[in-house]
Amino acid sequence: IILLTSIPCFAQSSKKNKPSDDRREYEFNYAFMEANRQKMLGNTEDAIALYLKCLHIDPRSAASMFEISSLLYQLNKSEEAIPLMKQAVKYNPKNMYYASLLGTLYKATGSAKDAIKIYQNLARQFPQMPDFLYEVAQLYAYQNNYQKALDAYNQLESQFGINESISLEKENIYF
């Protein structure tokens, strides 16, 4: 997990033209790796402070935004995490993990409508992954929009085949 979350910070810029750029990149990488270490040690507040330092160095660091938002979610501060994740998704709109966390944050704050939009988009971008369409169906059911929930479950069955879990979800709607 650490390797996956730290890869973006090691991407080299194709246009390095100043020694200060090298210094900033070094400072960013050091802070990011130290933040990851603090996160692994369970020092959440220290990790957040270091990820914030990364954002100070590179305000467009979607990886830092993701990590902070993830930690805020763990601290039950989803409301605070949403603006950061919206920015991360804006900077990297094709990143499935960023968008998925944003959907999770919307769900955690009761913003089912926004979560549905996120998961529908993810289902379109990643049609081979049933989880996103399943989230859509569950959110529609949560909103008592049973027809749209059934439509999503039916779409899941047509794409991935009939399975017991989906059949039970549909049964719960009918009865």
Side-chain angles (χ1 to χ4, degrees):
I1 293 175
I2 292 174
L3 180 61
L4 291 176
T5 58
S6 60
I7 288 172
C9 72
F10 289 108
Q12 298 257 340
S13 169
S14 60
K15 288 189 175 183
K16 279 191 196 175
N17 51 8
K18 297 180 185 175
S20 63
D21 289 343
D22 288 338
R23 177 76 179 153
R24 289 176 65 80
E25 184 177 347
Y26 172 80
E27 288 175 5
F28 178 89
N29 289 342
Y30 181 82
F32 196 88
M33 292 303 290
E34 181 61 21
N36 285 339
R37 189 173 80 79
Q38 293 301 319
K39 180 175 82 168
M40 284 180 35
L41 292 171
N43 301 329
T44 305
E45 296 299 329
D46 292 340
I48 290 173
L50 285 161
Y51 288 125
L52 287 170
K53 181 177 179 180
C54 290
L55 281 179
H56 180 73
I57 296 167
D58 179 4
R60 295 178 57 103
S61 172
S64 298
M65 293 174 196
F66 172 82
E67 293 295 344
I68 294 167
S69 296
S70 178
L71 291 169
L72 289 173
Y73 173 69
Q74 291 173 19
L75 295 172
N76 295 316
K77 297 180 178 181
S78 297
E79 249 345 296
E80 293 177 39
I82 288 174
L84 273 176
M85 271 323 299
K86 286 169 84 172
Q87 281 297 107
V89 169
K90 178 182 170 188
Y91 292 142
N92 197 340
K94 294 185 180 185
N95 187 305
M96 171 179 67
Y97 302 103
Y98 295 178
S100 183
L101 179 56
L102 182 57
T104 299
L105 294 169
Y106 281 136
K107 276 178 35 180
T109 59
S111 301
K113 207 180 232 184
D114 293 322
I116 287 170
K117 288 178 190 173
I118 295 293
Y119 289 122
Q120 283 175 329
N121 187 40
L122 283 166
R124 279 190 296 278
Q125 282 184 318
F126 304 99
Q128 72 280 9
M129 299 190 67
D131 299 3
F132 303 126
L133 197 51
Y134 190 77
E135 287 287 345
V136 169
Q138 287 189 317
L139 285 163
Y140 277 131
Y142 172 76
Q143 290 184 313
N144 299 324
N145 192 335
Y146 299 120
Q147 186 55 55
K148 286 190 176 186
L150 287 170
D151 291 344
Y153 286 130
N154 289 336
Q155 186 179 346
L156 271 169
E157 287 182 334
S158 70
Q159 282 183 249
F160 301 101
I162 296 172
N163 72 47
E164 185 178 358
S165 174
I166 294 172
S167 296
L168 289 173
E169 294 290 345
K170 289 170 66 175
E171 184 178 311
N172 286 336
I173 290 173
Y174 286 120
F175 300 106

